[in-house]
Amino acid sequence: MESVTLLSNDASNFGPSPRMPLLFIGHGNPMNAILDNTFSRTWKEIGQSLPKPKSILSISAHWITPETTMVTAMERPKTIHDFGGFPPALNEQQYPAPGAPDFARETQRIIDNPPIALDYDWGLDHGTWSVLLPMFPMADIPVYQLSIDYAQPAEFHYELGRQLRPLRDKGVMIIGSGNLVHNLRRIRFEGGPYDWAIEFDQVMAEWIESGNHRAIVEFQKLGELAALAHPTYDHFLPLLYVLGLQDARDTPQFFNADFDLSSVSMRSVIYR
């Protein structure tokens, strides 16, 4: 375990702050971090339109910790290149944002259940830095991550998101990073999105717009459609945290509502 000196939990860090927007971002292909395409350009535009938060909390599909939930608490999180087979230009990317050990401890404090462990080993995986690199290229905002306990049911993740709500009023911008449809077994480079992918994406969009959180939490009731959209549902779970964080003041606005490689929905949503 890395030995660090945590920043002090100065009460002023957690005082009233302008309420931060809330985002679910479809991150898709890691190459989006460095390509000039519709997705990355929109991330850049969104970043320029957002207020500057005190910190960013990312809930990424790529940090799975079975039977435990952890929050990164190091002062200098490393950039994790958790992929293979991509050009050197991608592997050379660094996102040297500072960590947020004070907010990590505050996150640990406000969550009643489950117990949250502090982590000093993980860092920023590509679900986090690949979208933050275009959004906030200066890497001057402290960033930390919350892990996903894949052993828990969907309801667990939604309720944990609800417990995170106070952070939005303390200056923390929370981002869920996954994909609304994510089936890498069925990717193809031609032919457009599959009918089942379009159907699942549209059903979720309708439920998000109408605030039908119960139906989304119970998405597996869609049977074969859900299984096709998510053979594993790690990329769906970050959405549940974001939905749990939403309140009556929030209005959803979609962006990047398109597909990549036929079976990956890039549809994203911002609440503000």
Side-chain angles (χ1 to χ4, degrees), residues 103-264:
F103 277 108
R105 289 192 291 175
E106 178 68 0
T107 301
Q108 183 187 49
R109 186 190 68 79
I110 68 172
I111 294 176
D112 293 328
N113 187 45
I116 305 298
L118 299 180
D119 170 84
Y120 302 94
D121 298 319
W122 186 247
L124 306 179
D125 59 57
H126 83 266
T128 296
W129 67 261
S130 70
V131 297
L132 293 184
L133 183 60
M135 287 181 71
F136 302 107
M138 297 300 292
D140 58 348
I141 302 170
V143 182
Y144 67 118
Q145 290 198 201
L146 182 75
S147 74
I148 294 175
D149 182 352
Y150 194 69
Q152 298 294 338
E155 183 74 24
F156 170 92
H157 304 285
Y158 180 78
E159 292 299 329
L160 186 49
R162 290 174 64 88
Q163 292 187 64
L164 295 171
R165 285 182 181 182
L167 292 174
R168 295 182 65 190
D169 294 310
K170 298 176 185 288
V172 179
M173 185 177 296
I174 303 176
I175 296 175
S177 180
N179 288 100
L180 209 54
V181 175
H182 187 263
N183 187 338
L184 297 186
R185 303 171 190 174
R186 302 292 293 272
I187 62 173
R188 61 185 181 189
F189 295 91
E190 297 179 353
Y194 295 98
D195 290 343
W196 53 262
I198 294 173
E199 182 180 356
F200 187 89
D201 177 80
Q202 291 180 342
V203 168
M204 290 300 127
E206 291 171 4
W207 287 345
I208 289 170
E209 281 192 309
S210 65
N212 192 350
H213 293 183
R214 176 51 47 196
I216 299 172
V217 169
E218 297 176 350
F219 74 101
Q220 289 174 302
K221 288 185 176 180
L222 292 173
E224 183 180 2
L225 183 62
L228 282 168
H230 292 279
T232 62
Y233 45 89
D234 41 63
H235 278 67
F236 190 78
L237 295 178
L239 173 65
L240 302 185
Y241 287 83
V242 172
L243 296 179
L245 279 152
Q246 181 192 358
D247 65 30
R249 293 173 288 175
D250 292 313
T251 301
Q253 178 184 357
F254 293 120
F255 60 97
N256 281 347
D258 204 350
F259 281 84
D260 193 17
L261 302 173
S262 298
S263 61
V264 177

